[in-house]
Amino acid sequence: MEQYVQAGKIVCLQYTLSLADGTPVDSSNASGTWTYVHGETRMPAGLTSGVEGLKAGDRVLLELAPENAFGRIEPEAFQQLPRERFPDSTLYIGYSSEVAGPGGSIIAFRIHAIQDDTVTIDLNHPLAGEHVVFDVTVIHVQD
């Protein structure tokens, strides 16, 4: 009996993620196939809805706007912190790392700007504001 992607199913995907201009970002060739619980694992809304109802062997090309992918760039996600909180080796634009967030969560950040006394960090997802393309093949669906 064929199983279809729906809430609560364990799904295994092969994928390629690229920017709208074709620039590759990630793929299962580089990172391995992606296995997750559909409807419970945090992932872009457009990817979730785009694979809903598919079965093993189905392939879909999803062209997603920022609001359906990794979100828009949120101005409030830019925060200024005292420069002395950063080791000199990390003080360059584009440096990225993670910090502990509320409830044990992990929050990724990038250094956006460096001023005399402060550092502006960007807490937006690295792909926020980007139109992206997921080329996805469903490998397996199970209970």
Side-chain angles (χ1 to χ4, degrees):
M1 180 174 142
E2 287 186 316
Q3 299 227 22
Y4 294 87
V5 176
Q6 58 184 314
K9 298 287 186 179
I10 298 170
V11 181
C12 180
L13 302 177
Q14 225 173 16
Y15 68 94
T16 300
L17 169 62
S18 56
L19 300 180
D21 68 4
T23 303
V25 175
D26 190 19
S27 73
S28 52
N29 289 339
S31 301
T33 56
W34 185 23
T35 302
Y36 71 98
V37 178
H38 194 75
E40 296 178 24
T41 302
R42 187 172 166 211
M43 56 195 273
L47 179 57
T48 301
S49 63
V51 298
E52 185 90 25
L54 300 181
K55 64 185 183 313
D58 287 348
R59 181 177 177 189
V60 65
L61 190 68
L62 304 169
E63 298 179 13
L64 305 179
E67 55 273 11
N68 293 316
F70 298 96
R72 296 184 180 277
I73 294 174
E74 300 293 339
E76 60 273 8
F78 291 88
Q79 299 186 7
Q80 290 192 336
L81 299 173
R83 185 178 174 137
E84 62 266 10
R85 291 186 58 185
F86 296 85
D88 287 343
S89 62
T90 67
L91 282 174
Y92 60 91
I93 294 172
Y95 171 81
S96 62
S97 188
E98 298 173 336
V99 294
S105 64
I106 301 295
I107 300 172
F109 73 90
R110 286 182 321 281
I111 292 181
H112 177 74
I114 302 168
Q115 296 83 23
D116 289 339
D117 297 326
T118 60
V119 173
T120 303
I121 62 169
D122 178 0
L123 299 171
N124 285 293
H125 186 283
L127 294 174
E130 295 285 352
H131 285 77
V132 298
V133 178
F134 280 97
D135 184 350
V136 179
T137 301
V138 178
I139 302 301
H140 186 74
V141 181
Q142 72 182 53
D143 288 326

